[in-house]
């Protein structure tokens, strides 16, 4: 469960000056963060940067732009409304966007460069266009029919895509389309990633091109043994009965196969995935010379992951690396093969922290590239000529994200050189050769600005300066923007917990204020970060609340001893740590301990219910949105990673439910859920309703017709946050300023 980007419209905002910040303005146009950019990519020749940008009249309608590095000019390349005036998305595309947390977006959601840098592949509304950089106004329609996951082959000869659960290629030299599979239908899917792979393993594709265009490795899966979850999707004007193949914890998963197919001839061969069939095929990749296909195979219990090399000619195979854990092995990154050396880079948590290692092609460890009492987020780029690699990490501050340079020979493995200098949050995208990178930077007082820089951190130029001047959408709220304070507390086992705090508008140290505690609490997410803040937090502080966040044990970007504390009993240590934060708040002279409320969405919704169930004497009220209430109702890969299967941990599953603790729920509760949620199924909330009714607990309920997990429509987002705002004010009664 990655936190659904239900805050999509809320990210990157601020405060108030001549005007006060309002919920209507937060969800209005233009975006308060300024002209935001997505999917920044440096062209293959390094001459330009392309990006997606929302329109001034609709921040969620994305167009394709370019920035020319030579003359420092920007121009609109593709107007999405000209290309497709009215979008009609297939159900498969809607589901895919829900998995990718882009359900609220329209227009151009993704694009890719041709390897020669002369063309761009642009999918929109199920159609596929090729755009010549020299003539962007004459986009060429090359495929139709609800195409999914389009790609340009590495050498640029083909375009590939999935249509109707089958894999296709289009030869760009002849214009001929070839169907590479034909059995895709009903429960059979070719070239696609299954539900849990998309949702939990970060798989955005189910097929992988060889670097020389000679072959494609693709996943074929059969979901016929996955139980059917019959659920109602209730809309304003109709009710659809959906039969969704949903593998809940302990249930059968899809049966998966791996094939290699020739795009030229259509000949395909099956790769042996081993004698054990109940596995996860995490992903597949190719060696730099296209002679070896490498796939990652994870056991069902997720305690072992193997990197297997397959000879593309003979299909002979060998295991190169085996990762094991007493708790679980995280799915990390693909191997990164070096072009000038018979070796590859591999990310591992084998020593308790995430580090980078160099292995030879036989899998033998050559040396660590990074090491020490810190960990990397991931590998960003490799510059073999300079003998350097670039990684992102929070080495210098847990709440920050920075870029660091490491020597490929391991000589500075424990002393990386910091490239980005400003304290705060840097999201970075490198060019293929590592010679430049695009840096999106923000901190709590600085909305995201985008610069282009060299590997030493020096400036090439601004892509988007985004200064908070009089022309900025947020300027009129700037003078009332409230600063974010950061600090640490100690968990019961002595580990460090990071928190953030906003004090109310016109703060008076002699007064006592109510608390808006925002929680997520689940693995794979960091809720406390030094970056441009969430506008709803800023709004609530301006409404008279102390706004508090805390990252409990289990949260991401930390060492394994911190994350593994949740193993086999979800909710136990997370609740302990959040209550450590509540106890600290209660001791502050400016906090009214009788007016503390909690809000959470998804895993945060689960945490809200658990906190109210176990600490109604300390927390006066809560708002729980789209909560998991019983982990046997959630999917296999996520749940079993932390809990094992229900049949192997019956007591852990029992104690991890909300229901095992619900007798203690006495505080005021608002329960919210989308009525078409296919991630955290609505059944979680109906079971909670039944439990509360049987316990004679009064509560409020809000359901949203047709809404998925993120309740992502603009009207839905405005309504849900207006409801949360009103519920907090009604129950905790902050002073108005």
């Amino acid at each position: 469960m990655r936190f659904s980007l239900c805050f999509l419209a809320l990210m990157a905002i601020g405060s108030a000056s001549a005007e006060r910040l309002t919920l209507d303005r937060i969800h209005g146009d233009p975006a308060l963060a300024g002209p935001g950019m997505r999917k920044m990519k440096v062209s293959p020749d390094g001459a330009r940067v392309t990006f997606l940008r929302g329109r001034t009249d609709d921040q969620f309608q994305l167009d394709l732009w370019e920035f020319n590095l030579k003359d420092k000019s920007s121009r609109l390349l593709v107007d999405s409304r000209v290309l497709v005036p009215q979008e009609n998305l297939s159900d498969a595309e809607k589901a895919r966007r829900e998995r990718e947390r882009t359900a609220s977006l329209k227009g151009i959601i993704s694009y890719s460069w041709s390897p020669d840098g002369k063309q761009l592949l642009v999918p929109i509304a199920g159609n596929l266009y090729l755009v010549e950089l020299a003539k962007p106004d004459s986009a060429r329609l090359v495929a139709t029919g609800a195409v999914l996951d389009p790609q340009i082959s590495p050498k640029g000869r083909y375009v590939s895509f999935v249509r109707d659960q089958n894999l296709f290629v289009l030869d760009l030299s002849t214009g001929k389309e070839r169907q590479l599979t034909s059995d895709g239908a009903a429960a059979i899917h070719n070239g696609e990633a299954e539900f849990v792979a998309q949702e939990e393993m970060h798989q955005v594709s189910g097929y992988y091109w060889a670097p020389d265009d000679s072959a494609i490795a693709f996943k074929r899966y059969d979901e016929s043994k996955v139980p059917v979850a019959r659920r109602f999707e209730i809309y304003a004007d109709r009710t659809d009965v959906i039969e969704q193949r949903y593998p809940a914890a302990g249930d059968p998963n899809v049966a998966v196969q791996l094939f290699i197919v020739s795009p030229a001839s259509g000949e395909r061969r099956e790769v042996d995935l081993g004698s054990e069939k109940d596995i996860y095929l995490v992903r597949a990749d190719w060696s730099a010379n296209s002679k070896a296909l490498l796939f990652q195979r994870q056991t069902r219990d997720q305690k072992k992951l193997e990197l297997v090399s397959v000879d593309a000619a003979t299909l002979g195979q060998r295991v190169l690396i085996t990762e094991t854990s007493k708790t679980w092995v995280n799915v990390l990154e693909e191997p990164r093969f070096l072009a000038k050396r018979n070796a590859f880079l591999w990310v591992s948590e084998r020593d308790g922290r995430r580090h980078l290692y160099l292995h030879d092609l036989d899998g033998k460890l050559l040396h660590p590239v990074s090491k020490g009492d810190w960990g990397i987020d991931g590998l960003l780029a490799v510059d073999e000529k300079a003998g350097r690699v670039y990684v992102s990490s929070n080495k210098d501050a847990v709440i920050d994200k920075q870029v660091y340079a490491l020597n490929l020979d391991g000589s500075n493995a424990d002393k990386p050189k910091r490239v980005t200098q400003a304290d705060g949050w840097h999201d970075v995208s490198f060019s293929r050769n590592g010679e430049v990178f695009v840096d999106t930077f923000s901190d709590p007082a600085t909305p995201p600005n985008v610069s282009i820089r060299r590997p030493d951190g020096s400036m090439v130029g601004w892509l988007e300066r985004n200064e908070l001047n009089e022309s900025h959408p947020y300027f009129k709220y700037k003078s009332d923007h409230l600063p974010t304070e950061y600090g640490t507390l100690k968990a019961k086992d002595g580990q460090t917990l990071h928190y953030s705090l906003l004090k109310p508008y016109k703060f008076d140290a002699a007064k006592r204020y109510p608390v808006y505690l925002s929680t997520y609490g689940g693995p794979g997410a960091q809720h406390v970060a030094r970056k441009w803040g969430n506008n709803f937090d800023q709004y609530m502080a301006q409404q008279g609340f102390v706004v508090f966040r805390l990252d409990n044990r289990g949260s991401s970007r930390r060492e394994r001893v911190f994350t593994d504390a949740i193993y086999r009993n979800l909710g136990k240590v997370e609740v302990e740590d959040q209550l450590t934060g509540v106890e600290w708040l209660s001791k502050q002279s400016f906090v009214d301990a009788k007016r503390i409320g909690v809000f959470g969405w998804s895993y945060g919704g689960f945490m809200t219910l658990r906190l109210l169930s176990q600490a109604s004497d300390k927390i006066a009220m809560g708002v729980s949105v789209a909560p998991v209430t019983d982990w046997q109702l959630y999917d296999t890969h996520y749940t079993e990673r932390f809990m094992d299967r229900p049949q192997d941990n019956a007591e852990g599953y029992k104690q991890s439910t909300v229901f095992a603790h619900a007798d203690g729920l006495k505080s005021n509760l608002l329960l919210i859920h989308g009525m078409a949620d296919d991630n955290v199924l609505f059944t979680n909330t109906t079971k909670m309703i039944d439990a509360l009714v049987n316990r004679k607990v009064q509560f409020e309920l809000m359901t949203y017709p047709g809404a998925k997990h993120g309740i992502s429509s603009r009207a839905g987002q405005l309504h849900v946050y207006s409801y949360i705002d009103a519920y907090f004010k009604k129950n905790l009664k902050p002073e108005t300023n």
Side-chain angles (χ1 to χ4, degrees):
M1 179 193 296
R2 292 163 287 143
F3 178 54
S4 66
L5 296 184
C6 53
F7 286 89
L8 203 58
L10 304 175
M11 295 306 291
I13 36 263
S15 87
S17 100
E19 297 181 19
R20 298 297 301 279
L21 192 62
T22 66
L23 293 177
D24 282 327
R25 182 59 191 92
I26 284 171
H27 294 276
D29 290 312
L32 283 174
M37 297 177 174
R38 302 170 183 268
K39 305 280 187 179
M40 280 83 76
K41 298 181 181 182
V42 181
S43 62
D45 61 3
R48 66 199 76 240
V49 176
T50 45
F51 55 92
L52 301 178
R53 171 181 279 171
R55 304 169 74 95
T56 56
D57 62 341
D58 185 350
Q59 60 185 285
F60 302 110
Q61 177 86 31
L62 305 183
D63 298 321
L64 179 59
W65 290 69
E66 74 150 357
F67 177 82
N68 188 294
L69 288 171
K70 184 177 181 179
D71 62 18
K72 306 296 190 298
S73 64
S74 295
R75 67 165 173 158
L76 175 65
L77 277 180
V78 182
D79 185 318
S80 59
R81 285 181 178 166
V82 170
L83 211 57
V84 177
Q86 184 64 43
E87 294 184 30
N88 293 300
L89 302 179
S90 67
D91 289 341
E93 177 62 21
K94 290 177 183 177
R96 180 183 174 87
R97 292 190 183 189
E98 190 69 27
R99 301 284 80 75
E100 295 179 352
R101 309 305 190 251
T102 58
S104 64
L105 302 178
K106 300 172 292 182
I108 301 171
I109 307 300
S110 63
Y111 68 95
S112 53
W113 277 99
S114 64
D116 62 7
K118 295 181 179 179
Q119 297 183 101
L120 291 151
L121 185 65
V122 178
I124 182 169
N127 295 327
L128 195 54
Y129 297 86
L130 270 176
V131 178
E132 290 187 34
L133 197 63
K135 298 184 294 181
D137 293 334
S138 56
R140 179 161 60 101
L141 180 65
V142 295
T144 61
V147 301
L148 298 174
D149 189 21
Q151 300 178 29
I152 297 182
S153 63
K155 293 296 184 182
R157 179 178 175 182
Y158 301 98
V159 166
S160 54
F161 53 87
V162 174
R163 180 198 289 138
D164 297 328
Q165 300 173 204
N166 285 298
L167 183 62
F168 292 76
V169 292
L170 175 72
D171 189 321
L172 292 177
S173 63
T174 64
K176 182 179 179 182
E177 183 178 288
R178 177 187 291 274
Q179 184 169 341
L180 298 179
T181 67
S182 58
D183 59 346
I188 305 298
H189 296 253
N190 292 289
E192 295 181 65
E194 71 272 27
F195 172 84
V196 295
Q198 292 182 47
E199 184 65 39
E200 313 299 355
M201 290 183 267
H202 316 296
Q203 283 191 30
V204 296
S205 180
Y207 69 94
Y208 312 89
W209 274 99
D212 64 359
D213 280 11
S214 64
I216 303 173
F218 72 91
K219 178 185 287 191
R220 177 187 186 272
Y221 70 84
D222 179 351
E223 58 181 352
S224 58
K225 292 184 179 180
V226 177
V228 174
R230 288 182 175 85
R231 57 183 177 82
F232 297 100
E233 288 197 351
I234 302 174
Y235 293 82
D237 57 352
R238 72 183 194 280
T239 297
D240 294 341
V241 180
I242 303 297
E243 294 189 348
Q244 179 184 353
R245 298 282 183 178
Y246 190 99
D251 285 343
N253 277 315
V254 302
V256 63
Q257 296 170 279
L258 181 63
F259 289 88
I260 297 175
V261 63
S262 165
S265 68
E267 177 190 0
R268 71 178 189 178
R269 298 167 295 152
E270 184 172 3
V271 176
D272 183 7
L273 295 180
S275 58
E276 178 56 55
K277 303 303 180 184
D278 191 11
I279 62 165
Y280 294 105
L281 177 58
V282 172
R283 61 172 295 123
D285 301 280
W286 291 85
S287 62
N289 60 11
S290 300
K291 292 183 178 180
L293 170 69
L294 291 94
F295 67 87
Q296 294 180 43
R297 175 176 61 202
Q298 188 180 46
T299 54
R300 173 69 184 257
D301 65 10
Q302 299 182 59
K303 291 177 171 58
K304 182 169 73 172
L305 183 145
E306 295 173 308
L307 178 65
V308 182
S309 177
V310 180
D311 186 297
T314 67
L315 299 187
Q317 59 181 254
R318 54 195 171 132
V319 176
L320 298 185
I321 295 176
T322 301
E323 300 282 357
T324 60
S325 173
K326 293 180 179 179
T327 55
W328 68 86
V329 177
N330 279 315
V331 172
L332 299 176
E333 298 186 25
E334 70 274 17
R336 184 76 66 93
F337 288 90
L338 303 184
K340 299 180 180 180
R341 184 176 178 183
N342 291 326
F344 64 90
L345 291 159
W346 177 253
V347 179
S348 170
E349 294 177 318
R350 62 187 60 155
D351 73 346
R353 296 176 186 267
R354 189 169 299 182
H355 280 300
L356 188 62
Y357 299 87
L358 188 68
H359 291 256
D360 68 17
L361 295 186
D362 292 322
K364 178 184 176 182
L365 174 63
L366 299 176
H367 56 258
V369 178
S370 69
K371 65 180 180 181
D373 292 334
W374 56 285
I376 70 171
D377 297 318
L379 175 61
L380 297 172
V382 180
D383 184 346
E384 287 191 66
K385 183 178 179 181
R388 198 169 293 121
V389 300
Y390 299 91
V391 299
S392 59
S393 174
N394 58 0
K395 179 182 184 297
D396 293 325
V398 169
I399 58 175
D400 283 6
K401 187 177 186 181
Q402 303 288 345
V403 176
Y404 298 84
L406 290 156
N407 294 334
L408 194 53
D409 62 10
S411 58
N412 70 335
D414 58 346
K415 296 178 181 179
K417 181 181 179 181
R418 183 162 152 180
V419 174
T420 47
Q421 296 303 312
D423 291 342
W425 198 268
H426 297 263
D427 281 316
V428 163
S429 175
F430 269 84
S431 62
R432 290 181 186 177
N433 57 15
E435 292 182 356
V436 295
F437 67 88
V438 181
D439 177 18
T440 302
F441 166 75
S442 75
D443 64 26
T446 308
N449 57 62
V450 186
S451 59
I452 302 169
R453 297 179 180 271
R454 299 180 183 87
D456 61 1
S458 61
M459 175 76 80
V460 174
W462 287 108
L463 189 55
E464 181 56 66
R465 185 67 183 92
N466 202 25
E467 292 182 286
L468 261 176
N469 54 31
E470 292 184 2
S471 64
H472 196 281
Y474 194 66
F475 181 77
K476 63 178 65 175
Y477 309 106
K478 177 181 176 181
S479 65
D480 288 342
H481 186 79
L482 300 168
T484 304
E485 301 175 17
Y486 296 91
T488 60
L489 302 173
K490 289 295 182 183
K492 287 185 176 181
D493 64 358
Q495 295 196 73
T496 299
L497 309 173
H498 289 260
Y499 72 80
S500 65
L501 183 142
L502 288 169
K503 289 177 179 175
Y505 181 69
K506 294 184 179 178
F507 176 73
D508 183 344
K511 293 182 179 180
R512 290 182 178 270
Y513 296 91
V515 174
Y516 167 74
L517 190 163
S518 173
T519 185
Y520 179 70
Q526 183 175 0
H527 209 45
V528 178
R530 184 155 49 188
K531 58 184 175 181
W532 184 247
N534 177 284
N535 59 348
F536 190 70
D537 282 9
Q538 189 71 217
Y539 170 83
M540 292 297 280
Q542 293 183 23
Q543 296 300 305
F545 291 91
V546 171
V547 175
F548 185 78
R549 294 179 173 217
L550 181 141
D551 276 334
N552 49 250
R553 282 171 289 172
S555 302
S556 69
R557 302 185 78 226
R558 295 292 297 274
E559 57 277 11
R560 287 302 299 262
V561 69
F562 187 86
T563 60
D564 288 1
I566 66 174
Y567 185 53
R568 288 175 64 90
N569 196 345
L570 292 179
K572 182 178 185 297
V573 301
E574 301 99 301
V575 168
E576 287 178 2
D577 292 349
Q578 292 295 331
L579 290 180
T580 294
V582 169
E583 290 165 5
W584 178 83
L585 283 167
S586 300
K587 295 175 183 177
Q588 304 310 302
S589 61
F590 56 87
V591 167
D592 184 344
K594 293 182 180 180
R595 291 191 292 162
I596 297 176
V598 60
F599 155 75
W601 196 308
S602 196
Y603 201 104
F606 162 72
M607 286 291 295
T608 295
L609 293 174
R610 284 289 301 267
L611 283 163
L612 295 185
S613 296
Q614 295 175 242
S616 278
D617 58 329
K618 297 181 178 68
I619 303 174
M621 57 140 293
V623 179
S624 173
V625 187
V628 175
T629 58
D630 181 348
W631 287 104
Q632 291 194 67
L633 297 175
Y634 201 64
D635 73 54
T636 51
H637 193 270
Y638 182 91
T639 309
E640 294 173 13
R641 186 187 328 161
F642 312 117
M643 292 290 293
D644 294 335
R645 297 182 306 168
Q647 52 266 50
D648 300 324
N649 184 20
E651 184 61 23
Y653 273 84
K654 177 182 176 182
Q655 291 303 314
S656 291
T657 67
V658 174
F659 311 117
H661 313 276
D663 288 345
L665 201 161
K666 308 297 182 185
S667 299
N668 293 328
L669 170 66
L670 170 58
L671 193 59
I672 298 174
H673 213 127
M675 300 179 81
D677 194 334
D678 62 352
N679 179 359
V680 178
L681 303 183
F682 191 54
T683 307
N684 283 274
T685 283
T686 58
K687 284 191 69 173
M688 191 68 213
I689 293 169
D690 189 57
L692 293 171
V693 169
N694 288 334
R695 288 169 172 81
K696 301 179 181 179
V697 176
Q698 297 296 316
F699 63 99
E700 291 190 26
L701 174 69
M702 182 63 205
T703 58
Y704 287 86
K708 300 289 187 181
H709 188 58
I711 312 178
S712 56
S713 72
R714 181 174 294 196
Q717 284 278 292
L718 176 57
H719 192 276
V720 73
Y721 281 100
S722 297
Y723 205 155
I724 294 165
D725 171 42
Y727 197 75
F728 267 82
K729 288 176 179 174
K730 179 177 72 173
N731 286 280
L732 301 185
K733 298 179 173 60
E735 292 184 17
T736 57
N737 292 298

